[in-house]
């Protein structure tokens, strides 16, 4: 009889622990969801900021290069203008390729939901233990 009461008492203790464990799991999941939402908002802000900077940079770069190009055309002899046009076009294309490469490098370096992934890895390690 004592053995039965001891097993029954352990079951009751286990049943008292289960809601607490479930509540803790729900709190952890809720925290991770809020972390993910805040990181998504921060990533959206960073992407919009990056796009705005790219747009402004391209606008001012194109304006200044066109102005510089017209100044050079007015200063160069008519014989050498074709050479200048070919050189400036190739230079602008090279600048375009370099800026595209830097933009893709920046985008590749940016990691979406970095802290959420890190916390989820911690949680999975903790659960495995």
């Amino acid at each position: 009889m004592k053995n039965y009461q001891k097993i029954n008492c352990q079951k009751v203790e286990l049943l008292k622990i289960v809601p607490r464990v479930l509540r803790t799991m729900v709190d952890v999941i809720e925290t991770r969801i809020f972390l993910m939402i805040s990181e998504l908002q921060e990533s959206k802000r960073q992407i919009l900021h990056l796009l705005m900077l790219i747009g402004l940079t391209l606008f001012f770069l194109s304006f200044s290069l066109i102005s510089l190009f017209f100044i050079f055309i007015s200063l160069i002899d008519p014989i050498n203008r074709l050479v200048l046009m070919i050189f400036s076009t190739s230079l602008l294309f090279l600048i375009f390729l370099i800026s595209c490469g830097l933009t893709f490098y920046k985008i590749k370096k940016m990691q979406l939901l970095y802290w959420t992934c890190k916390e989820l890895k911690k949680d999975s390690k903790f659960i495995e233990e």
Side-chain angles (χ1 to χ4, degrees):
M1 186 72 177
K2 286 186 177 186
N3 199 11
Y4 176 73
Q5 287 177 349
K6 188 175 183 182
I7 292 174
N8 195 17
C9 184
Q10 288 175 351
K11 287 180 182 179
V12 168
E13 288 179 19
L14 184 65
L15 287 175
K16 287 180 181 178
I17 292 174
V18 168
R20 204 168 47 183
V21 169
L22 287 175
R23 196 173 323 119
T24 304
M25 295 276 292
V26 167
D27 288 342
V28 166
I29 291 171
E30 182 182 15
T31 303
R32 298 302 175 248
I33 289 173
F34 284 132
L35 179 64
M36 186 172 57
I37 289 170
S38 65
E39 282 192 60
L40 281 173
Q41 289 173 347
E42 179 68 22
S43 297
K44 182 181 87 171
R45 188 189 63 78
Q46 286 177 348
I47 289 171
L48 289 175
H49 183 72
L50 182 66
L51 287 174
M52 187 178 68
L53 286 177
I54 289 170
L56 286 174
T57 302
L58 288 176
F59 174 75
F60 288 118
L61 177 69
S62 64
F63 181 74
S64 63
L65 288 176
I66 289 170
S67 300
L68 186 65
F69 182 69
F70 282 123
I71 290 171
F72 279 141
I73 285 179
S74 66
L75 295 176
I76 300 292
D77 291 332
I79 299 169
N80 295 329
R81 283 187 184 164
L82 180 63
V83 174
L84 177 67
M85 286 181 173
I86 293 170
F87 176 73
S88 63
T89 303
S90 59
L91 182 67
L92 287 175
F93 188 69
L94 182 66
I95 290 172
F96 169 73
L97 289 177
I98 290 172
S99 66
C100 284
L102 288 175
T103 303
F104 286 131
Y105 174 74
K106 177 79 173 171
I107 289 172
K108 184 180 177 183
K109 195 172 129 179
M110 236 172 61
Q111 187 176 0
L112 192 62
L113 300 175
Y114 175 75
W115 293 108
T116 302
C117 293
K118 197 172 186 178
E119 290 296 320
L120 287 175
K121 285 179 186 176
K122 281 184 190 177
D123 292 341
S124 66
K125 285 180 185 177
F126 181 73
I127 290 172
E128 287 174 2
E129 293 174 358

